[in-house]
Amino acid sequence: MASHIQSPFEWGWKRSKVSVAGIGTSRPEEYWPQSRLDGAAPEIRRIRLADLRAALARGIDDFAANRTDVIFLCLLYPLIGLALGRLAFGYGMLPLLFPLAAGFTLIGPIAGIGLNEMSRRREQSDHISWIDAFGVIHSPSLVAILQLCALLLAIFALWLVVADGLYNVTLGPEPPVSLSAFAHDVLTTDAGWVMIGAGIGIGFLFAVAVLAISVVSFPLLLDRPVSAATALRTSLRAVLANPGTMAVWGLIIAVSLVIGSLPFFLGLTVVLPVLGHATWHLYRKVVA
């Protein structure tokens, strides 16, 4: 039989059909064996930098086990980034281009839910595929997961409102006439430097808030029958118990996402899956 080399579109379409066909084959009871049916707030462990290295190593291992599937799954996020950039250039939203790009840090945990699920399933079976990422929709905690997703999206929207207000106060309210004029105003005027400094400071506070409420909350909801409030409180407790180590973890995420955004967000096809898988293994280190 003659072999047929598929185009990326053919390959992607067939993969999509397989993934849709696989949705619904899981049973909810497979999620939580009897040992995990306790919905009480879990115990938090103290972790060290060595645990971060171990979580990253496990994340890279999970990524390496399914490179092709995961890269295809995460290809959506660079496309979204490029679409947002085109929107900013095409409709006078140029001042929001950087806030939109920086917003990947705020909604990154949402992008990582399916990857958390793949790592969870890989603990149970060596063979996983991107179909397993869609197993999240069968989780008994789906409503709680959606609640936390809505919270992060609201924080992201608030960040954009604050960023737009900051531009209006410093360089606005009129939109820039061109990219070069905007770069000139930002980099060569006092108002531009005020906007840069204030934006970095405010963005840092938003990033810290998101890290505190999401660092272990989504993996916990995939792993145990707890409420969104319990997952959020557990995440806050994990950060308070390990402030220095979690600060380093947040720095690793921020630097990785910046690097992954270049060029044209394509690096996110590698950075996002590694961080998403590593987050699951960090959860295993932190939550007893």
Side-chain angles (χ1 to χ4, degrees):
M1 180 181 295
S3 61
H4 172 61
I5 300 176
Q6 296 179 339
S7 70
F9 298 102
E10 288 179 291
W11 183 80
W13 174 248
K14 289 187 176 182
R15 282 288 194 175
S16 300
K17 290 194 295 183
V18 171
S19 68
V20 171
I23 294 175
T25 59
S26 302
R27 297 188 303 274
E29 57 266 27
E30 79 173 348
Y31 274 78
W32 296 324
Q34 289 302 120
S35 61
R36 298 202 182 280
L37 292 182
D38 182 7
E43 177 187 350
I44 299 298
R45 298 189 184 106
R46 297 292 300 273
I47 59 173
R48 299 175 295 175
L49 295 181
D51 295 307
L52 299 186
R53 290 194 294 269
L56 284 170
R58 294 289 301 276
I60 293 172
D61 183 60
D62 284 352
F63 170 68
N66 290 270
R67 292 189 301 273
T68 304
D69 282 351
V70 175
I71 286 177
F72 181 78
L73 182 67
C74 292
L75 189 60
L76 176 64
Y77 301 107
L79 294 177
I80 292 175
L82 291 174
L84 292 175
R86 177 65 182 86
L87 180 67
F89 278 109
Y91 295 92
M93 295 175 59
L94 190 58
L96 289 181
L97 181 59
F98 176 76
L100 285 168
F104 273 111
T105 304
L106 305 181
I107 60 175
I110 298 177
I113 296 174
L115 298 160
N116 296 163
E117 176 68 2
M118 291 177 72
S119 290
R120 185 188 75 86
R121 290 180 176 235
R122 193 176 182 224
E123 289 182 351
Q124 304 169 0
S125 172
D126 288 337
H127 178 71
I128 58 171
S129 71
W130 76 319
I131 298 173
D132 295 301
F134 293 93
V136 174
I137 66 174
H138 301 294
S139 171
S141 291
L142 181 59
V143 172
I145 290 171
L146 292 176
Q147 289 172 340
L148 280 186
C149 288
L151 175 60
L152 293 190
L153 290 173
I155 292 174
F156 175 64
L158 179 60
W159 157 244
L160 293 181
V161 170
V162 172
D164 184 59
L166 181 60
Y167 171 79
N168 289 333
V169 169
T170 54
L171 296 177
E174 295 298 323
V177 295
S178 67
L179 177 60
S180 59
F182 178 64
H184 178 272
D185 291 341
V186 170
L187 299 175
T188 64
T189 66
D190 292 339
W193 284 105
V194 169
M195 185 184 72
I196 291 174
I200 292 175
I202 296 171
F204 172 77
L205 295 178
F206 272 88
V208 169
V210 168
L211 176 69
I213 66 178
S214 67
V215 65
V216 299
S217 55
F218 285 112
L220 177 60
L221 287 170
L222 291 175
D223 193 42
R224 305 186 190 188
V226 298
S227 66
T230 298
L232 193 151
R233 286 195 299 268
T234 302
S235 191
L236 291 173
R237 288 169 49 221
V239 172
L240 291 175
N242 302 279
T245 310
M246 288 300 182
V248 173
W249 180 246
L251 181 62
I252 291 172
I253 292 174
V255 172
S256 299
L257 290 176
V258 169
I259 295 174
S261 297
L262 303 172
F264 305 112
F265 303 97
L266 293 178
L268 294 177
T269 57
V270 174
V271 170
L272 279 176
V274 170
L275 290 178
H277 290 309
T279 298
W280 172 263
H281 297 293
L282 180 66
Y283 158 75
R284 284 289 194 224
K285 298 286 185 181
V286 176
V287 177

